[in-house]
Amino acid sequence: MSLTSDPEWWRDAVVYQIYPRSFADSNGDGIGDLPGITAKVPYLQKLGVDAVWLSPFYPSALADGGYDVDDYRAVDPKIGTLEQFDTMVAALHAAGIGVIVDIVPNHSSNQHVWFQEALASPKGSPARNRYIFRDGVGPNGDQPPTDWRAAFGGSVWEPVGDGQFYLHLFTPEQPDWNWDNPEVRADFLETLRFWSDRGVDGFRIDVASALAKDLAEPLPDKATLDAMKTGPNHPLYDRDELVEIYAEWRQVFNSYDPPRFAVGEVWLEDPARTARYATSQSLGQAFNFDLLRADFRASDFKAIVATNLEVAEMAESSSTWVLSNHDVVRHASRYGLPLTVPGAPYEGQAPTWDRDRQWLLTRGTQPPEDMVLGLSRAKAATAFILALPGSTYVYQGEELGLREVADLPDTARQDPTFFRSPGYDVGRDGCRVPIPWEPAGPSFGFGPGAAHLPQPAWFAGHSVAVEAAEPASTLWFYRQALAARRELLAGLGASAAAGRLEWLDAPDGVLHFRRGTWHCVTNFAVAEPVELPAGELVLASGDLSDGARLPEATTAWLRA
Ligand code: TEU
Ligand code: CA
């Protein structure tokens, strides 16, 4: 697979997510930066990833970790310059690594020049019409238009002091754009061209199903809204107008050679609706986050694979597999918590979601985290998804087996979730702690100074330098897995693109599938090691008992 020779490279790519502020700091200000990324290109090349996806690096006051964008066509001076961006892209491309950047089209930041203009302009002005302003209601007109709640807590409506309120699905520092406005649409097309012209290979589209809205009166109240199914009639999510918006984007993507690629961040219940974003007339690929919410259980994994291969087939796209990202508790920790059992407090709710949040509230002490089991399961799950048809997203640090940093002091926290939902959700900082590159130093080699979030002492043992010297490390496992995957995929030839897999008989608690000669067997839950099928062992996520049987929480790949 090569970026230049194969326009379909993204279909089975391994994409490494970089959270730029926490990856590598070149100048010691505590904030990861673009020269820091450039310096780590050899590391990424050795790891064997096909592309990187950079979370936002645009100018931002960091009200939401950079997902509050002041200027879509610039680099945050705290992180670098456009010139340094070009240098980074050139270095990644020279290493055969593609570049995906994050586009945040649902909202800007409140520092964006157009939002500042809207605030300075009167009610009903064209400047206000780029965002979603509404009059207050109630006897004095000082009440928000609806009782809707924002994603990280509080109302979705913020008063501006002249009787109007603006809509923000996330923090008040993130005003939602009005996608009915042609100026807004045109501006995003320009942004897509801007980065495409600079050589980026693709885009990750933030909250891709929320852009289009219908806020015609009368607006439903919160209870009615919550009960509504997302889709064409929902005021906020998954409206049909999005088809038209992304068709315009697709024209821009296809005006480049090779066409630029896009993956939408789409959280929808209905597979058929999700598939609409993944077609070649639309974004091209849609994320599936089902595994972020699933326990380490064979039946759950199997069902999720089936659903998402179906979505991919409907859209003639490929699936995405994700176990960790910058929004969730790291999977080595999730899997170290007891599985939900029937009758347990969170059973019947979104499986690990609220449970993880509750666990964070105890600073990671209750329930106790089984770190050894958590890491074994994490590696087994990683090997499982790497064997599936489709592309895999790896979140920085998971290749080191990093766990969630659950015990950050409140004074260090940055995530707006913590400030806006006091007592309920401590937020996502624990998966955003800067990467340890060395076992010592003021920030474990992250940079020459202290890091912007405190790193725990145990990071030393998970540092790149320590793991690189240890063949039994998680880092070596990831390198071996990515190299073996490349080779096995090449062996599958054209049939890999078809994306088919075949399930084979296996005991309860074990999954066995094959793609051509490539077999993947995962023992999720059988305490007694199980027999492996005949074949040449290519990879094991942990030690095999007596060299041939697969212990619990282990995956093996075989060629047979
Ligand atoms: O996340 C969108 C999203 O749906 C989040 O609310 C997600 O459910 C939450 O983070 C889980 O804890 C995207 C980005 O990935 C996230 O980092 C941003 O905060 C958000 O959009 C707003 O831009
Ligand atoms: Ca820096």
Side-chain angles (χ1 to χ4, degrees):
M1 192 209 69
S2 144
L3 283 172
T4 42
S5 66
D6 180 8
E8 305 278 285
W9 65 272
W10 51 270
R11 282 187 182 267
D12 54 14
V14 175
V15 181
Y16 184 89
Q17 182 189 355
I18 293 180
Y19 194 75
R21 289 176 180 80
S22 297
F23 188 62
D25 171 21
S26 69
N27 61 358
D29 63 358
I31 300 171
D33 45 47
L34 302 187
I37 298 171
T38 304
K40 300 301 183 190
V41 169
Y43 171 78
L44 297 168
Q45 191 173 21
K46 192 156 188 195
L47 183 57
V49 301
D50 299 306
V52 293
W53 146 35
L54 304 183
S55 278
F57 50 81
Y58 316 110
S60 169
L62 304 183
D64 183 18
Y67 283 90
D68 47 319
V69 179
D70 299 353
D71 179 351
Y72 291 87
R73 300 190 284 273
V75 172
D76 192 332
K78 298 188 284 296
I79 282 194
T81 63
L82 271 176
E83 210 180 357
Q84 288 168 341
F85 180 84
D86 294 340
T87 305
M88 176 195 74
V89 171
L92 286 161
H93 281 170
I97 298 172
V99 181
I100 296 170
V101 301
D102 213 313
I103 299 291
V104 190
N106 179 66
H107 43 267
S108 70
S109 84
N110 59 345
Q111 307 297 314
H112 192 284
V113 50
W114 276 359
F115 191 72
Q116 289 298 317
E117 190 189 335
L119 288 182
S121 302
K123 184 180 155 171
S125 59
R128 286 214 173 170
N129 192 40
R130 295 189 190 112
Y131 291 90
I132 302 173
F133 281 85
R134 287 290 182 279
D135 289 336
V137 300
N140 306 318
D142 58 359
Q143 296 303 305
T146 64
D147 59 349
W148 302 349
R149 307 294 290 170
F152 307 133
S155 171
V156 298
W157 296 103
E158 187 73 8
V160 295
D162 61 3
Q164 287 216 300
F165 290 70
Y166 65 85
L167 179 86
H168 59 87
L169 294 186
F170 293 88
T171 71
E173 292 84 5
Q174 294 166 295
D176 281 38
W177 289 110
N178 172 15
W179 275 88
D180 286 338
N181 187 325
E183 251 187 301
V184 170
R185 293 194 184 199
D187 194 61
F188 273 91
L189 296 179
E190 193 175 331
T191 294
L192 297 174
R193 282 191 213 101
F194 179 87
W195 294 109
S196 298
D197 287 343
R198 294 201 101 85
V200 312
D201 304 280
F203 301 95
R204 178 264 189 191
I205 313 303
D206 192 59
V207 223
S209 59
L211 281 48
K213 298 181 178 83
D214 177 13
L215 297 186
E217 311 279 348
L219 294 170
D221 63 8
K222 178 181 183 298
T224 311
L225 186 77
D226 290 349
M228 285 178 78
K229 202 172 139 44
T230 57
N233 300 318
H234 194 281
L236 304 177
Y237 296 110
D238 191 29
R239 297 187 55 77
D240 282 347
E241 299 92 289
L242 283 161
V243 171
E244 194 190 302
I245 292 171
Y246 293 136
E248 273 183 8
W249 291 25
R250 172 49 57 187
Q251 285 180 11
V252 174
F253 301 151
N254 286 357
S255 70
Y256 290 86
D257 181 24
R260 298 325 189 216
F261 139 86
V263 55
E265 191 210 18
V266 177
W267 299 77
L268 298 171
E269 298 291 319
D270 180 352
R273 296 291 297 182
T274 306
R276 294 160 65 253
Y277 297 79
T279 69
S280 60
Q281 293 86 55
S282 187
L283 294 175
Q285 201 181 38
F287 267 119
N288 99 68
F289 297 118
D290 298 348
L291 290 172
L292 299 181
R293 297 186 159 182
D295 263 333
F296 187 75
R297 195 175 270 127
S299 51
D300 296 359
F301 271 54
K302 190 173 180 180
I304 286 170
V305 169
T307 308
N308 289 289
L309 290 183
E310 193 192 321
V311 171
E313 196 166 341
M314 277 190 255
E316 295 182 21
S317 178
S318 70
S319 286
T320 60
W321 307 107
V322 188
L323 293 166
S324 279
N325 65 28
H326 66 296
D327 287 335
V328 302
V329 170
R330 283 186 177 278
H331 68 284
S333 286
R334 292 205 310 274
Y335 294 150
L337 306 180
L339 300 187
T340 49
V341 291
Y346 304 106
E347 206 261 332
Q349 301 178 12
T352 59
W353 199 251
D354 284 335
R355 192 184 48 153
D356 296 349
R357 294 294 196 238
Q358 296 295 324
W359 173 75
L360 281 178
L361 275 182
T362 69
R363 306 284 156 190
T365 58
Q366 286 304 321
E369 179 183 4
D370 183 335
M371 295 171 193
V372 174
L373 181 61
L375 184 56
S376 299
R377 286 174 170 167
K379 288 159 68 183
T382 296
F384 178 90
I385 64 169
L386 280 170
L388 293 170
S391 60
T392 294
Y393 285 74
V394 173
Y395 175 53
Q396 67 177 38
E398 67 168 84
E399 78 280 19
L400 304 172
L402 292 188
R403 306 186 299 273
E404 187 79 1
V405 181
D407 55 358
L408 286 170
D410 286 353
T411 48
R413 294 204 179 267
Q414 301 175 7
D415 186 356
T417 313
F418 171 68
F419 301 101
R420 298 186 59 77
S421 65
Y424 168 67
D425 197 333
V426 301
R428 303 162 293 178
D429 295 310
C431 64
R432 300 175 178 181
V433 176
I435 296 298
W437 295 91
E438 302 286 340
S443 55
F444 297 106
F446 167 67
H452 70 95
L453 276 171
Q455 299 153 301
W458 58 263
F459 262 34
H462 285 269
S463 63
V464 172
V466 166
E467 294 209 14
E470 174 47 73
S473 68
T474 307
L475 179 59
W476 276 61
F477 161 70
Y478 268 74
R479 286 176 179 166
Q480 282 161 2
L482 267 47
R485 173 187 154 96
R486 223 172 250 241
E487 199 188 306
L488 286 158
L489 273 179
L492 294 182
S495 67
R500 304 210 181 279
L501 66 76
E502 182 189 346
W503 294 105
L504 298 166
D505 283 345
D508 272 357
V510 176
L511 293 182
H512 177 186
F513 65 86
R514 71 174 197 143
R515 299 168 67 193
T517 52
W518 181 2
H519 288 246
C520 176
V521 190
T522 303
N523 179 353
F524 285 82
V526 183
E528 185 63 23
V530 297
E531 289 298 327
L532 279 171
E536 173 210 348
L537 184 71
V538 178
L539 181 84
S541 68
D543 286 337
L544 300 188
S545 23
D546 59 46
R549 291 182 309 137
L550 191 66
E552 186 177 352
T554 312
T555 292
W557 293 354
L558 302 103
R559 202 179 341 228

